[in-house]
Amino acid sequence: MNSITTRTVRLLATLAIASLFLIIQAHAFLSPLPRPRPFLVPTRSTTSRSSETDQGINDAAAAAEDESLLKSVTKKQLQELCQQTSLSDKGTKEVMLKRLRDHAADQAALEHQRSLERVKRVEEGSDDPKQRYEITNDYETDVDEEDEDAGFFYFNTPEAINVTKPAEKPRKKEPVTWHSSAISAPPPPTEPNEDGERVVQIYSTKDQNDMTGIAAAQPGQAALGGDALSNTVSSGGAQPWDMDQSATTSETSSKEMQEAKEKVIELVQALLAMSGAPAFVGFAEDLENLPAFEAPKEFVGFNPSQVPAEFLTASSQALRTGRGQALQDVLRQFEMQGIGQDGMAGDKVKAGGGHYREVCKVRAFLEGYRRAEVRRLARETTALMLDKLVQEGVEGLDFTLASMTRSSDDTSDHAGELNDSLLDYLNDAIRQQEKKVDQIVAAKLDKLSPGSAQNEYDPIEGLWNVTSEDGQRIESIDPNDKNVQRVLQEEFKKEEYMKAEMVSPTSDSVGDSAPEQLLLLLTLLRERIKAEAAFAPDEKGRNLRLLAYCLRVSTDSEREQLILKDAGNSLDVSNSELENSVCYAYGSATLDPTLTVLLAFHSVWIR
Amino acid sequence: MELISSSIEYGESTSHQLQPAKTHPLNVRLLRSILDLVKDLHERQSFRASGVKAAN
């Protein structure tokens, strides 16, 4: 906007100078000298194409114009014009006028010749591959042929040489703030070509075109992008629960997304208004659903500690919609708005900038809150399932899983939903638990090894009798010696103890300590949920689970009980279920992905 | 039953060798025994559902 204002000032100055131009036409002065008039010098005489009658009329008119022109022009002006063009300034006014006209005609002819040569050069082309010309046909149709071929020559007024630019008033540096409505709309689309096609340039919204480097300088921004929980659906790739993605494209989901965006917009507006940024303060008055508050008078910056909790809880679900997609879209709009408000001021608050920086702060805050909310729900769901598994066993967990809703989104208000964030949370929890267990195991090993390390003195060493016979060194030990027996027995006991300590954690994967047991439970729960994600909660999934249990139990009687318990005593039910459950053809078994998952499912439960 | 049959066939085939990551192939013998068990169970239920009582 500043550049436009500067350009306007320059344009006005140019116009002021241009008003002093003396423009001479080749045929006649169309106006008295003091009045500027564009001046055209056609190289071809129009008289050659006009009739004799017309020529006579034109000559008479030209003569009349000449007389009036010569009356209004002083001789000095004509002399100065002649001096400009290095012509002789001697003679009468008529002579000088004719001299100037001839000179203008010559120059216009040269210009015309140059333009013709240029067109010819373009048409012939050039050997230089860097030079590329394109001849457009619409130019010839739009522009009159005479005008195109005509050459032009302009005189400067003598005064224009000495004219100085009007001194520009020193502009006061005021903070430039514009309301959101001041931001101009994007340029209208380009006109379609002859075929009705319109060429547009597409920019991907995933591009990180942050040329300001502000986002890169934000602490924690990179970490935010790499977190699995903060990834949106679009960036997260294929997720186990994305089998419902077809449903998310429905009208309902788009409506939900729209509603969520409206809520998020209001929340972001409220948070930005709290910053006191001049362009964002007005947002505080437009709040509909959130409680009104008074925005600060000054630019105080965004302070997360001042955000009321009800603002966040009211928009918690909207923030999680589409795995944060709604939040991302809304924040992108506000970022662009902030950049527009900042203009050339950048982050300088005193110069009217700093809006984009505030939007970045709000983004970091809301992203963090969204992640915390997703984690909270996932943690509650995990705790619920672990409780079921511990208290009611696998059967209770199965029942719970069967009754839980499945979603590829995080929009649930309460815990108890199977979604991708739950798996992400479990992955994270298992990773942390593994670190803890590793530390415990390492501490155990350290306990054992220092004992042997400190005991560098080997008691058996002293039991050997070293004698020398015929120059040969003989080492012997007497097992009948009581001292030797005692030491050997002690060493044997110690060795047995060490073996028992070393073997026990590896022989049984279930550790004794609580962290190890929790790690095992979490791992099993994750695998169970993955298997649940792979199979729909229908007959197929149920029968696969039944088969896995049958493989797991040891005796046939238990298997029979299991089958009867699950399928029931009804012949029809069990038969139809078993028959309907399977659509695996042996011919395609080698590449059937369902069987691949089946194998994975089995292997999980066989372990 | 078809599920178990196809699992047995899968275990007998060499297709599981296409997955080098899987170290635990299916226990075909166990699957066969389960299949027999299910068949037997199915027959018994059919017999019971037919209403025919055993001679003794």
Side-chain angles (χ1 to χ4, degrees):
Chain A
M1 193 61 83
N2 283 338
S3 63
I4 293 173
T5 314
T6 312
R7 200 178 299 165
T8 311
V9 171
R10 284 182 185 165
L11 188 61
L12 287 171
T14 312
L15 283 174
I17 296 167
S19 66
L20 301 171
F21 278 4
L22 174 64
I23 303 165
I24 300 175
Q25 194 171 11
H27 297 288
F29 283 103
L30 295 177
S31 62
L33 276 176
R35 296 181 62 188
R37 181 69 65 91
F39 159 57
L40 179 65
V41 184
T43 53
R44 286 176 296 197
S45 172
T46 52
T47 53
S48 62
R49 282 181 284 177
S50 58
S51 62
E52 289 182 1
T53 316
D54 293 340
Q55 187 180 357
I57 294 169
N58 286 339
D59 288 345
E65 284 181 359
D66 280 358
E67 282 182 14
S68 62
L69 183 65
L70 287 171
K71 281 179 185 173
S72 59
V73 174
T74 61
K75 190 176 180 181
K76 190 185 173 187
Q77 285 176 321
L78 287 175
Q79 281 175 344
E80 286 176 348
L81 281 174
C82 289
Q83 286 169 3
Q84 269 184 34
T85 50
S86 304
L87 296 173
S88 170
D89 56 351
K90 291 176 182 175
T92 60
K93 286 163 83 172
E94 289 82 358
V95 173
M96 279 192 284
L97 180 61
K98 187 176 183 303
R99 201 179 291 145
L100 286 168
R101 271 184 190 157
D102 291 342
H103 177 72
D106 290 344
Q107 295 296 323
L110 282 173
E111 177 68 23
H112 175 63
Q113 189 64 32
R114 271 199 295 273
S115 67
L116 285 179
E117 284 176 1
R118 191 162 58 236
V119 170
K120 191 180 175 186
R121 197 168 61 242
V122 170
E123 284 175 351
E124 286 176 354
S126 172
D127 294 336
D128 190 358
K130 291 182 179 176
Q131 291 183 10
R132 289 180 183 173
Y133 300 101
E134 188 177 352
I135 301 169
T136 55
N137 294 325
D138 53 348
Y139 181 71
E140 291 179 359
T141 55
D142 292 345
V143 181
D144 188 20
E145 196 175 348
E146 280 187 16
D147 292 343
E148 185 200 0
D149 294 341
F152 295 90
F153 179 71
Y154 294 94
F155 286 97
N156 284 334
T157 55
E159 293 85 356
I161 300 169
N162 299 325
V163 166
T164 55
K165 283 185 181 179
E168 289 186 14
K169 291 179 182 176
R171 287 191 300 158
K172 283 174 70 177
K173 283 191 175 179
E174 294 176 354
V176 184
T177 54
W178 292 292
H179 195 260
S180 57
S181 59
I183 297 174
S184 60
T190 54
E191 291 297 322
N193 58 10
E194 295 170 353
D195 302 332
E197 297 170 345
R198 184 174 287 158
V199 180
V200 295
Q201 193 163 6
I202 298 171
Y203 295 95
S204 171
T205 53
K206 292 178 184 174
D207 290 344
Q208 297 294 325
N209 290 326
D210 182 19
M211 287 178 285
T212 60
I214 293 173
Q218 287 278 319
Q221 285 288 319
L224 281 176
D227 196 313
L229 285 178
S230 66
N231 286 342
T232 57
V233 172
S234 56
S235 63
Q239 297 281 348
W241 304 100
D242 279 353
M243 58 179 135
D244 298 333
Q245 273 301 299
S246 57
T248 59
T249 55
S250 65
E251 194 179 350
T252 315
S253 67
S254 64
K255 189 184 169 192
E256 286 172 358
M257 179 67 89
Q258 193 59 36
E259 289 174 355
K261 279 185 181 177
E262 286 174 7
K263 281 187 179 177
V264 174
I265 284 174
E266 196 157 335
L267 175 67
V268 174
Q269 282 181 338
L271 297 185
L272 287 175
M274 288 176 188
S275 68
F280 296 149
V281 169
F283 289 151
E285 301 164 2
D286 302 333
L287 300 179
E288 292 177 359
N289 299 322
L290 296 175
F293 65 95
E294 191 176 354
K297 307 281 185 195
E298 295 177 351
F299 198 140
V300 293
F302 176 65
N303 187 1
S305 61
Q306 292 179 349
V307 178
E310 62 262 29
F311 277 31
L312 297 173
T313 49
S315 312
S316 171
Q317 188 180 358
L319 287 173
R320 287 178 276 119
T321 303
R323 305 197 79 195
Q325 189 64 42
L327 177 63
Q328 295 286 343
D329 291 347
V330 169
L331 282 172
R332 197 170 296 122
Q333 289 177 11
F334 278 98
E335 274 181 355
M336 286 191 285
Q337 202 171 337
I339 292 169
Q341 298 286 356
D342 289 344
M344 299 299 288
D347 289 340
K348 297 172 186 170
V349 176
K350 288 181 181 174
H355 294 83
Y356 176 71
R357 174 72 73 176
E358 295 306 312
V359 179
C360 284
K361 286 180 188 173
V362 170
R363 167 192 282 276
F365 173 71
L366 288 181
E367 268 297 322
Y369 178 73
R370 187 188 71 83
R371 285 173 54 204
E373 281 290 288
V374 170
R375 275 178 172 275
R376 181 180 63 82
L377 287 174
R379 191 168 58 242
E380 288 177 7
T381 311
T382 308
L384 171 79
M385 285 192 288
L386 282 178
D387 284 347
K388 285 280 178 192
L389 184 61
V390 172
Q391 290 174 4
E392 302 178 22
V394 178
E395 198 177 342
L397 180 65
D398 284 340
F399 185 75
T400 310
L401 286 172
S403 61
M404 285 168 86
T405 55
R406 289 155 173 76
S407 169
S408 60
D409 209 345
D410 302 326
T411 51
S412 171
D413 272 337
H414 307 287
E417 188 179 85
L418 298 178
N419 51 31
D420 300 326
S421 299
L422 180 64
L423 277 179
D424 289 338
Y425 174 77
L426 279 173
N427 283 332
D428 205 17
I430 287 170
R431 210 176 302 124
Q432 290 179 0
Q433 198 66 27
E434 278 175 347
K435 281 183 187 172
K436 279 186 189 173
V437 172
D438 284 346
Q439 285 176 355
I440 290 171
V441 172
K444 269 187 182 176
L445 288 176
D446 285 346
K447 265 187 189 174
L448 294 175
S449 57
S452 57
Q454 285 171 2
N455 230 349
E456 285 183 0
Y457 171 70
D458 193 357
I460 304 176
E461 286 284 331
L463 303 179
W464 293 92
N465 291 322
V466 182
T467 55
S468 178
E469 289 181 7
D470 299 336
Q472 288 185 343
R473 180 175 169 171
I474 296 172
E475 293 182 357
S476 60
I477 193 167
D478 185 9
N480 294 324
D481 189 356
K482 284 187 179 178
N483 191 24
V484 171
Q485 282 179 357
R486 184 178 56 81
V487 170
L488 284 177
Q489 279 177 355
E490 282 179 3
E491 285 298 311
F492 180 72
K493 281 180 184 172
K494 203 182 283 181
E495 192 75 16
E496 286 291 314
Y497 176 75
M498 288 275 286
K499 271 185 185 174
E501 283 289 319
M502 294 290 287
V503 168
S504 62
T506 52
S507 61
D508 190 3
S509 59
V510 183
D512 294 333
S513 62
E516 286 171 307
Q517 287 182 350
L518 184 60
L519 174 63
L520 181 72
L521 276 178
L522 284 173
T523 312
L524 287 177
L525 187 62
R526 182 182 62 178
E527 300 304 321
R528 179 72 180 86
I529 290 173
K530 276 185 184 174
E532 195 72 23
F535 295 97
D538 53 5
E539 302 89 23
K540 290 179 193 173
R542 254 200 328 269
N543 288 327
L544 277 170
R545 194 174 63 229
L546 176 61
L547 179 56
Y549 290 158
C550 287
L551 289 169
R552 181 70 179 162
V553 296
S554 53
T555 60
D556 277 352
S557 61
E558 286 176 345
R559 287 192 189 103
E560 192 176 335
Q561 282 180 5
L562 209 59
I563 292 168
L564 287 175
K565 191 176 180 182
D566 196 271
N569 283 316
S570 168
L571 173 68
D572 294 335
V573 172
S574 61
N575 195 25
S576 64
E577 275 187 358
L578 284 170
E579 283 179 358
N580 290 333
S581 65
V582 184
C583 56
Y584 313 122
Y586 177 63
S588 61
T590 51
L591 294 175
D592 194 347
T594 320
L595 270 180
T596 308
V597 183
L598 168 70
L599 183 64
F601 187 81
H602 285 167
S603 62
V604 165
W605 285 100
I606 285 168
R607 283 177 201 165
Chain B
M1 282 196 290
E2 289 183 23
L3 170 66
I4 303 168
S5 305
S6 62
S7 299
I8 292 170
E9 287 168 352
Y10 179 78
E12 286 175 340
S13 71
T14 57
S15 55
H16 64 271
Q17 294 173 359
L18 295 173
Q19 293 179 314
K22 301 294 174 197
T23 54
H24 299 284
L26 289 177
N27 188 350
V28 178
R29 205 157 52 87
L30 184 59
L31 282 171
R32 279 186 195 283
S33 71
I34 293 173
L35 182 64
D36 291 340
L37 176 70
V38 172
K39 277 181 181 172
D40 182 50
L41 207 63
H42 190 249
E43 280 178 9
R44 269 193 280 156
Q45 282 189 326
S46 301
F47 185 74
R48 200 182 303 165
S50 66
V52 180
K53 289 186 179 177
N56 45 356

